[in-house]
Amino acid sequence: MQEWKDYQAANKDRFLNELLELLRIPSVSARSEHKDDMLRCAEAVKKSLLNAGADKAEIYATNGHPVVYAEKFIDASKPTVLVYGHYDVQPAEPLELWHSGPFEPTIKDGKIFARGACDDKGQFYMHVKALETLVQTNSLPVNIKFIIEGEEEIGSSHLADFVKQNKALLKADVILISDTAMISIDTPSIDVGVRGLTYVEIEVTGPNRDLHSGVYGGAVANPITILAKMIASLHDGDNHITIPGFYDDVVESSAAERAELAKAPFDEEEYKKDLEVNALWGEKGYTANERTGIRPTLEINGIWGGYIGEGSKTVLPSKAYAKISCRLVPNQKSAPMEKLLIDHLYKIAPPYVQVKVTPHHGGDPYMTPVDSIEYKAASKAIEATFGKPPIPVRGGGSIPITALFESELGCKVVFLGFGLDSDNLHSPNEKYDIVNFYKGIETIPYFHKFYAEMKLS
Amino acid sequence: MQEWKDYQAANKDRFLNELLELLRIPSVSARSEHKDDMLRCAEAVKKSLLNAGADKAEIYATNGHPVVYAEKFIDASKPTVLVYGHYDVQPAEPLELWHSGPFEPTIKDGKIFARGACDDKGQFYMHVKALETLVQTNSLPVNIKFIIEGEEEIGSSHLADFVKQNKALLKADVILISDTAMISIDTPSIDVGVRGLTYVEIEVTGPNRDLHSGVYGGAVANPITILAKMIASLHDGDNHITIPGFYDDVVESSAAERAELAKAPFDEEEYKKDLEVNALWGEKGYTANERTGIRPTLEINGIWGGYIGEGSKTVLPSKAYAKISCRLVPNQKSAPMEKLLIDHLYKIAPPYVQVKVTPHHGGDPYMTPVDSIEYKAASKAIEATFGKPPIPVRGGGSIPITALFESELGCKVVFLGFGLDSDNLHSPNEKYDIVNFYKGIETIPYFHKFYAEMKLS
């Protein structure tokens, strides 16, 4: 489609500059002090969709951060693609490890460095610019709807209600999401699955106040020691998770499926070198790709307690805390797994301490069937622009809302992600390669074209 | 000594107000931002000693915070008492748990609430006012020297050099320290031992950057999980410390000694109620008092890693940290125990992570013989003002410099402490009962009197 290429080539610098503007807004959903930034970002997204040619774009208030909805209708006989993305970003801390300001996007070596560059502003914005391309070249082959939310990084807690209450508005034939990664620009891949998530916070209280570790140490349980023992007990010597029933609902992958997954290129030495670790870690009996793809995991995302300042303080603290999350795989469900985790933490708490566990958020795992036209259209689009078909892989991350989309809206979700695992998502120096950004804008129109053709044939 | 009583009664309000002024200075030695406050506090201490009647008072610079030295000489034929104390205080955090500002001393229910109220400003200041009493009533029975340092809470790291370089200046017959507690105002006691200390900080590094816990979780060791496993392994199921050789130098207390210690009143139900814990914790085979008195311990004083802010962040962190300290008993020595601890931490670190252990500070344990005239003079002084002899107990805390005092200055140390275990040392809402403050000022002159009599007889 030479027309698309010409239009995009003529406007590419503007596309990039518009993205940089969006990246300047610190839309950190987890932090209440960014409430106004969230609103400002929603406004900017709405405006960008109208500028791209949407018939209408609206900001819908929720009990949390607002949702941006937009649509471009062409013809009731055409299928409808619902594009989902999120304008919120992870907290930028630890700030001291960033080489440039997280909200001062910086271009270096062909990469955009900024919080949200890849996750997900850079990726959903490709869809905005793909829409613009199709509208401006009068070649839009489908009806398009956008739902860009502001709470993905905190579990999409209010999006579920919004989806349930707006089924007619959101009615579509397929949901298209760019919020995942591919193996590399030379080895394109499509995530056919995302893991589910359950996330809790534990507070362990020992004595009712911080104590002098000399006067009381040895006679009163230290909540840090107890918490460490509780955490240590969650994995056995083979790094299996010890919570009774944890693996009950896991669909074990067949030997054939594991052989298929093993075809994805993986260089363990390169992987270790990139992370600067001497040895990999994980569940016995599985490869690194399987550990992040087809197996559930339990990670400690944060821990704190006692004196954490400069120097020393001889304190036996009153409290210790940890943030604990599990990634889930088919057919584990978030709600019962959250209950299993919480019940287990209460059960293993010794009598010396009080334990309180608070759930944060969760989401079910999701898989796209590789024999569906949704997957096939995505695969064919990748092939059209990359010159080779994508490898289907199982992604390790989670997009909490996907399972709910399918159950509420009755259509499949397909992941068309252009990020890389090395993009430092959720880490300092998050980046997105400019070439990937453009490649996405180039590929998305093909998805719409092929999907319309397959759906109508 | 009616004369002392009359003088003290006439000046008691002023004594208290002067202490409150001293408590307003935030002399937190651990924090570099309080460097100027430390100097200001040293100046205030110097001035108070001159006002009390010292012949001279000087501030000696060290490579850390300065030392205040003062003396009142009466007669070369009289024995010399060296009073040791410290004007530095522990950090006040967590600030939100204080009912009034830590450096805005507040009197409530007969107690002074402030950081340092008991540890140790309130206690060393009793000696300043005891000196004033003796000078003003022309009844000083001994030569007195003061050494009030500014680094006790961070391990007295520069005081050792100062003592070694100023042996002539500090020459004394006995060292008197008020930096410990008694059982209660109705059950006076004297600490005949303080535990030693070794304090280290551990940094565990997994991957070289914070990672997305979905993309990498399960395949890369999480440093928090590893640190938790390392910490958990330091105590076995009986809460014995598992470090090989840890107990080798411990002098086991005899059955007779344990029977003597068991005479100190201890109400387990009251203790649990005060701390609001359902069960006590500790090394199997020992009572609570033994666990804090005659047994060495290992405590985690702080832990941190990953995301510790509001809400959730799905991160697999690069680093996790902990502050770990051991209390030591005779004949454990701080330096070899520190090496034992550090070597052990390196040894148990798995290959998935890099570990770095940094020593903070330490000190050897110390014991005062109960048959010494130093102890007897203190015991008789307590009896003179409390109406009953004190119970000798083993204290759980540490005063790192005491063992060095004896070895360098060749004289015994005696602890004449008027605090209470419930004074919230190192905790929010530190307090000192006004009655204890006055009782100390009343008792100290008797120590000088009885010590001079016993020494010269």
Side-chain angles (χ1 to χ4, degrees):
Chain A
M1 299 294 290
Q2 195 56 43
E3 220 179 343
W4 298 347
K5 277 199 177 159
D6 291 346
Y7 182 80
Q8 292 179 352
N11 291 281
K12 63 192 292 234
D13 290 346
R14 178 174 55 81
F15 290 177
L16 180 59
N17 285 327
E18 287 174 14
L19 172 61
L20 299 187
E21 276 311 304
L22 198 62
L23 291 170
R24 284 184 218 282
I25 306 173
S27 48
V28 180
S29 49
R31 296 289 181 77
S32 42
E33 71 258 35
H34 287 293
K35 204 166 183 297
D36 289 348
D37 296 318
M38 292 298 293
L39 256 177
R40 193 152 59 89
C41 197
E43 290 286 353
V45 172
K46 174 187 163 183
K47 202 174 141 199
S48 75
L49 284 158
L50 289 172
N51 289 346
D55 300 328
K56 67 169 198 173
E58 300 286 351
I59 292 175
Y60 286 80
T62 72
N63 284 328
H65 299 298
V67 168
V68 182
Y69 171 82
E71 61 182 42
K72 174 73 184 175
F73 179 80
I74 50 160
D75 185 337
S77 70
K78 302 287 185 187
T80 299
V81 177
L82 174 61
V83 172
Y84 163 84
H86 63 94
Y87 66 87
D88 67 321
V89 300
Q90 283 273 321
E93 288 81 3
L95 297 176
E96 67 277 13
L97 296 183
W98 284 79
H99 302 134
S100 52
F103 301 106
E104 294 154 17
T106 302
I107 292 176
K108 205 180 145 188
D109 303 332
K111 300 164 176 66
I112 310 157
F113 287 89
R115 172 58 85 227
C118 174
D119 180 15
D120 180 47
K121 287 175 178 171
Q123 293 218 62
F124 86 71
Y125 206 70
M126 301 180 312
H127 289 273
V128 181
K129 296 297 103 178
L131 171 66
E132 178 184 316
T133 302
L134 291 165
V135 169
Q136 291 295 326
T137 57
N138 289 308
S139 53
L140 187 62
V142 291
N143 302 305
I144 294 199
K145 296 179 174 180
F146 279 81
I147 177 167
I148 310 296
E149 70 149 325
E151 297 191 301
E152 198 271 346
E153 300 294 4
I154 52 171
S156 302
S157 36
H158 299 98
L159 189 64
D161 281 345
F162 180 81
V163 170
K164 286 176 193 169
Q165 289 156 13
N166 292 281
K167 286 190 195 183
L169 183 76
L170 301 175
K171 190 172 166 21
D173 295 285
V174 60
I175 294 160
L176 181 61
I177 302 179
S178 294
D179 194 19
T180 51
M182 46 173 44
I183 295 169
S184 75
I185 197 87
D186 301 318
T187 311
S189 60
I190 288 182
D191 276 8
V192 295
V194 289
R195 291 197 283 189
L197 182 70
T198 183
Y199 198 119
V200 305
E201 186 161 324
I202 180 170
E203 176 191 88
V204 179
T205 306
N208 57 0
R209 59 187 187 272
D210 283 7
L211 301 175
H212 187 298
S213 70
V215 176
Y216 290 91
V220 181
N222 183 322
I224 302 176
T225 307
I226 300 299
L227 177 59
K229 284 202 181 262
M230 290 174 68
I231 289 171
S233 78
L234 297 176
H235 290 95
D236 68 15
D238 291 333
N239 298 325
H240 290 296
I241 295 158
T242 58
I243 302 171
F246 190 84
Y247 295 99
D248 283 0
D249 295 332
V250 172
V251 178
E252 296 290 338
S253 295
S254 66
E257 193 182 349
R258 292 175 70 178
E260 187 63 29
L261 289 169
K263 288 182 184 162
F266 180 78
D267 183 332
E268 182 169 323
E269 286 312 310
E270 196 52 47
Y271 190 82
K272 288 196 291 186
K273 200 177 145 196
D274 173 50
L275 301 173
E276 290 179 69
V277 294
N278 292 326
L280 295 186
W281 177 97
E283 193 183 358
K284 196 175 171 181
Y286 296 91
T287 66
N289 268 344
E290 288 172 343
R291 287 164 175 172
T292 59
I294 63 172
R295 297 299 293 170
T297 58
L298 184 149
E299 293 293 337
I300 313 302
N301 305 108
I303 192 166
W304 68 105
Y307 183 67
I308 63 177
E310 180 189 343
S312 60
K313 184 179 176 187
T314 46
V315 65
L316 190 168
S318 171
K319 287 174 188 289
Y321 304 82
K323 293 180 195 268
I324 306 177
S325 65
C326 295
R327 299 284 171 171
L328 309 175
V329 298
N331 288 333
Q332 294 177 307
K333 296 286 178 188
S334 182
M337 292 304 291
E338 178 183 288
K339 184 172 184 316
L340 194 75
L341 173 60
I342 291 177
D343 288 351
H344 182 73
L345 291 171
Y346 280 117
K347 201 180 130 205
I348 64 173
Y352 325 112
V353 296
Q354 303 285 338
V355 161
K356 193 172 98 184
V357 188
T358 313
H360 270 310
H361 68 271
D364 293 335
Y366 185 80
M367 289 199 70
T368 312
V370 290
D371 54 4
S372 62
I373 62 164
E374 289 80 3
Y375 180 81
K376 285 178 185 164
S379 176
K380 200 172 164 192
I382 292 275
E383 195 169 355
T385 53
F386 285 77
K388 54 179 109 168
I391 297 174
V393 300
R394 295 273 290 266
S398 304
I399 305 177
I401 204 66
T402 45
L404 185 112
F405 275 148
E406 174 160 339
S407 63
E408 293 296 326
L409 302 179
C411 59
K412 293 272 171 247
V413 174
V414 62
F415 303 104
L416 195 58
F418 295 88
L420 299 175
D421 279 354
S422 57
D423 281 341
N424 297 330
L425 307 194
H426 299 202
S427 309
N429 305 307
E430 179 178 344
K431 59 94 175 161
Y432 193 31
D433 289 25
I434 296 174
V435 63
N436 293 45
F437 176 63
Y438 288 138
K439 208 73 180 172
I441 300 174
E442 203 182 318
T443 304
I444 291 162
Y446 283 101
F447 174 84
H448 296 314
K449 174 173 151 47
F450 297 140
Y451 179 71
E453 289 169 6
M454 290 180 190
K455 185 74 182 172
L456 298 173
S457 72
Chain B
M1 298 292 290
Q2 196 56 43
E3 220 179 343
W4 298 345
K5 277 198 179 161
D6 292 346
Y7 182 80
Q8 292 178 353
N11 290 281
K12 60 191 292 232
D13 290 345
R14 177 173 55 80
F15 289 178
L16 180 59
N17 285 327
E18 286 174 15
L19 173 60
L20 299 187
E21 275 311 303
L22 199 62
L23 292 170
R24 286 185 216 282
I25 305 174
S27 49
V28 180
S29 50
R31 296 288 180 76
S32 41
E33 72 258 34
H34 288 292
K35 204 167 183 300
D36 290 347
D37 296 318
M38 292 298 295
L39 256 177
R40 194 152 58 89
C41 196
E43 288 286 354
V45 172
K46 173 186 162 181
K47 202 175 141 200
S48 75
L49 284 158
L50 289 172
N51 289 345
D55 301 327
K56 68 168 197 175
E58 300 285 351
I59 292 175
Y60 285 81
T62 71
N63 284 328
H65 300 299
V67 168
V68 182
Y69 171 82
E71 61 182 40
K72 174 72 183 174
F73 180 80
I74 51 161
D75 185 337
S77 70
K78 302 287 186 189
T80 300
V81 177
L82 174 61
V83 173
Y84 163 83
H86 62 94
Y87 67 85
D88 66 324
V89 300
Q90 283 273 321
E93 288 81 2
L95 298 175
E96 67 277 13
L97 296 183
W98 284 79
H99 302 135
S100 51
F103 301 106
E104 294 153 17
T106 303
I107 291 176
K108 205 181 146 187
D109 304 331
K111 299 165 176 66
I112 310 158
F113 288 89
R115 172 57 86 227
C118 174
D119 180 14
D120 179 48
K121 288 175 177 171
Q123 292 218 63
F124 86 71
Y125 206 70
M126 301 179 311
H127 289 272
V128 181
K129 295 298 103 179
L131 171 65
E132 180 185 314
T133 302
L134 291 165
V135 170
Q136 291 295 326
T137 57
N138 289 308
S139 54
L140 187 62
V142 292
N143 302 305
I144 294 200
K145 296 179 174 180
F146 278 81
I147 178 168
I148 310 295
E149 71 149 323
E151 297 190 301
E152 198 271 344
E153 300 294 3
I154 52 172
S156 302
S157 37
H158 299 98
L159 188 64
D161 281 346
F162 180 82
V163 170
K164 286 174 191 169
Q165 288 156 15
N166 291 282
K167 285 191 196 183
L169 183 75
L170 301 176
K171 190 173 167 18
D173 296 284
V174 60
I175 294 160
L176 180 62
I177 302 179
S178 294
D179 194 18
T180 51
M182 46 173 45
I183 295 170
S184 75
I185 197 88
D186 301 319
T187 311
S189 61
I190 288 182
D191 276 7
V192 294
V194 290
R195 292 196 283 189
L197 181 70
T198 182
Y199 198 118
V200 305
E201 185 162 325
I202 180 169
E203 175 191 88
V204 179
T205 305
N208 57 0
R209 60 186 187 272
D210 283 6
L211 300 175
H212 187 297
S213 70
V215 177
Y216 290 91
V220 180
N222 183 323
I224 301 176
T225 308
I226 301 298
L227 177 58
K229 284 202 181 265
M230 290 174 69
I231 289 171
S233 79
L234 297 175
H235 289 95
D236 68 15
D238 291 333
N239 298 324
H240 289 297
I241 295 158
T242 58
I243 302 170
F246 190 84
Y247 295 99
D248 283 1
D249 295 331
V250 172
V251 178
E252 297 290 338
S253 295
S254 65
E257 193 181 349
R258 291 175 69 178
E260 188 62 29
L261 289 169
K263 288 182 185 163
F266 180 77
D267 183 333
E268 183 168 322
E269 287 311 309
E270 196 53 46
Y271 191 82
K272 288 196 291 186
K273 200 177 143 197
D274 172 50
L275 302 173
E276 292 179 66
V277 294
N278 291 326
L280 296 186
W281 177 97
E283 192 183 359
K284 196 175 171 179
Y286 295 91
T287 66
N289 268 346
E290 288 172 343
R291 288 164 176 173
T292 60
I294 63 173
R295 299 297 294 171
T297 57
L298 184 148
E299 294 293 336
I300 313 303
N301 305 107
I303 192 166
W304 69 105
Y307 183 67
I308 63 177
E310 179 189 344
S312 60
K313 184 178 176 189
T314 47
V315 65
L316 190 168
S318 170
K319 288 174 187 289
Y321 304 82
K323 294 182 194 268
I324 305 176
S325 65
C326 295
R327 299 285 170 171
L328 309 175
V329 298
N331 287 330
Q332 293 177 308
K333 296 286 180 188
S334 182
M337 291 304 290
E338 177 182 291
K339 184 174 184 315
L340 194 74
L341 173 61
I342 291 177
D343 288 351
H344 183 73
L345 291 171
Y346 280 118
K347 202 181 130 206
I348 64 173
Y352 324 112
V353 296
Q354 304 284 338
V355 161
K356 193 172 97 184
V357 188
T358 313
H360 270 309
H361 68 270
D364 293 336
Y366 185 80
M367 288 198 70
T368 312
V370 291
D371 55 3
S372 61
I373 62 163
E374 289 79 3
Y375 178 80
K376 286 178 184 163
S379 176
K380 202 173 163 191
I382 292 276
E383 195 169 354
T385 53
F386 285 78
K388 55 179 108 169
I391 298 174
V393 300
R394 294 273 290 267
S398 305
I399 305 176
I401 204 68
T402 45
L404 185 113
F405 273 147
E406 173 158 343
S407 63
E408 293 296 325
L409 302 179
C411 59
K412 294 271 171 249
V413 174
V414 61
F415 302 104
L416 195 59
F418 295 88
L420 298 175
D421 279 355
S422 56
D423 281 341
N424 297 329
L425 307 193
H426 300 201
S427 309
N429 306 307
E430 178 178 345
K431 59 96 175 162
Y432 193 31
D433 289 25
I434 295 175
V435 63
N436 292 46
F437 175 64
Y438 288 138
K439 208 75 181 170
I441 300 174
E442 202 182 319
T443 304
I444 291 162
Y446 284 100
F447 174 85
H448 296 314
K449 174 173 152 47
F450 297 140
Y451 180 71
E453 288 169 8
M454 290 180 191
K455 184 76 181 173
L456 298 173
S457 73

